[in-house]
Amino acid sequence: MTAHTDSPIHQELRPGEQLLWNGRPMQGLHIRRADLFYIPLAAVIGSIALLWIVRSVGGDGGTLLCFGAPFVLMGCYIAFGRIAMEAITYRQTYYGLTDQRILIISGLLVREVTRLDLNTITEVTLQQRFGDAGTILFGVEGQSGRLPQDSSWLSTNHHRPPRFEQLVDAEHVVWLIHQA
């Protein structure tokens, strides 16, 4: 059992509820499978826009610069900004498993708390990539178009079930969930 008493999860416990496990996503920058699509795409968009801006300096630079600069910024965000934003978000994310519920606390500007009763969860899916590290999904992953499914920069949470992301001990946590 892992239970850090300084975790915000403790503020969410009901009287008599036992905390079985709490943790956080792995901290730092994480490259996902979808990044193999997004980073080259962003490089192409950004390069074309940058070329447009450089060529516009000789002519009507102001107008073309206004149109090209947003695409350069968009390319930079798609390639690197969303990865950095995810790392910042993970610094404010906490997970908890009690004898009754799953708790997820996240949010940068606004605190968001997701509470799932264990007896209402119909499906628990473990997605593992390296060793014991992985993501646990509570529910069924929806289809959100043709973009890779592990992206979050364009999609809304309507297609993404609640999840414990980037856990070092994901397989052990799944075992605990089934025991609770």
Side-chain angles (χ1 to χ4, degrees):
M1 172 169 68
T2 305
H4 305 289
T5 56
D6 59 343
S7 170
I9 292 292
H10 282 83
Q11 299 170 10
E12 298 299 323
L13 296 179
R14 297 174 182 157
E17 189 172 26
Q18 278 191 315
L19 183 62
L20 305 175
W21 174 88
N22 69 331
R24 301 182 69 193
M26 291 187 300
Q27 302 298 299
L29 300 176
H30 302 284
I31 304 297
R32 297 173 181 259
R33 184 179 62 233
D35 293 326
L36 297 175
F37 170 77
Y38 290 120
I39 291 174
L41 174 66
V44 169
I45 292 171
S47 297
I48 291 170
L50 191 58
L51 180 61
W52 180 339
I53 290 172
V54 168
R55 295 187 108 196
S56 70
V57 172
D60 184 16
T63 304
L64 293 176
L65 179 64
C66 290
F67 286 113
F71 288 98
V72 171
L73 294 174
M74 181 177 66
C76 290
Y77 176 77
I78 292 171
F80 309 109
R82 62 189 179 75
I83 296 169
M85 284 302 295
E86 183 177 83
I88 293 167
T89 301
Y90 282 170
R91 291 178 63 194
Q92 301 298 323
T93 301
Y94 301 87
Y95 304 133
L97 168 65
T98 74
D99 57 341
Q100 302 169 19
R101 302 181 294 163
I102 299 287
L103 300 168
I104 303 171
I105 300 174
S106 62
L108 290 176
L109 301 176
V110 177
R111 176 182 157 123
E112 182 178 315
V113 181
T114 302
R115 300 169 188 95
L116 303 170
D117 287 327
L118 287 175
N119 56 4
T120 63
I121 297 173
T122 58
E123 189 169 330
V124 176
T125 305
L126 173 62
Q127 297 176 337
Q128 280 188 297
R129 289 188 176 80
F130 303 107
D132 287 337
T135 296
I136 303 170
L137 283 70
F138 305 105
V140 180
E141 184 87 49
Q143 298 298 316
S144 60
R146 297 180 183 187
L147 297 174
Q149 291 298 308
D150 59 351
S151 65
S152 60
W153 70 280
L154 282 178
S155 64
T156 64
N157 286 335
H158 299 292
H159 302 293
R160 294 171 47 102
R163 59 189 66 211
F164 288 169
E165 293 188 275
Q166 302 289 338
L167 291 182
V168 175
D169 56 348
E171 196 167 345
H172 176 69
V173 175
V174 168
W175 181 82
L176 287 172
I177 291 166
H178 289 299
Q179 298 303 310

